[in-house]
Amino acid sequence: MITDAAANPATTKSSAANRGNENAPGGMRKNHYLLHYLAAEWAQDWMDKHCSRTTIPSLSAKTMRQLPVWLPPLDQQEAIIEIMSSLDEQLALKDEVADTTERLKHYLGQLIGAGDFPLRD
């Protein structure tokens, strides 16, 4: 169930035909909003709870249509996308710094083991 807050925050559903359709008004940006929406921990938990428990867990289209989705007005979606994307970039930089630090630590550990640690007197 997708609720379009711009039309009626309580009851309006956006058309299933416009879901993810980049030709629909705001469609491409709506895709980015939905990406962040579906990545939220509560949405991941909902999908985990509703997926079939087979060898390879899966969700049917019918089940996914039951996922409650709130669509704020496009200007709010844009603001949410900007904030979430900025946080994603910060997390990616943090990961890059951590990876570089791990490689440096590994390299310096090898130098210590070889007795070739570059210390200055």
Side-chain angles (χ1 to χ4, degrees), residues 66-112:
Q66 296 171 11
L67 173 70
V69 176
W70 178 69
L71 291 176
L74 286 176
D75 62 329
Q76 290 181 19
Q77 289 182 38
E78 292 285 339
I80 290 167
I81 291 166
E82 187 175 326
I83 291 167
M84 297 301 282
S85 295
S86 176
L87 293 172
D88 285 343
E89 289 172 15
Q90 292 295 319
L91 289 170
L93 286 172
K94 180 187 83 64
D95 290 345
E96 187 176 326
V97 168
D99 290 345
T100 300
T101 303
E102 280 292 324
R103 286 193 306 273
L104 179 59
K105 183 178 178 183
H106 176 76
Y107 173 71
L108 291 176
Q110 289 179 326
L111 291 177
I112 291 170

Side-chain angles (χ1 to χ4, degrees), residues 12 27 40 43 47 61 88:
T12 304
M47 289 183 278
D88 285 343

Side-chain angles (χ1 to χ4, degrees), residues 42-78:
W42 78 267
Q44 293 290 312
D45 290 345
W46 186 96
M47 289 183 278
D48 185 55
K49 180 180 173 187
H50 290 85
C51 73
S52 65
R53 299 292 175 198
T54 59
T55 303
I56 300 175
S58 63
L59 286 166
S60 68
K62 180 179 177 182
T63 300
M64 284 302 293
R65 282 192 216 72
Q66 296 171 11
L67 173 70
V69 176
W70 178 69
L71 291 176
L74 286 176
D75 62 329
Q76 290 181 19
Q77 289 182 38
E78 292 285 339

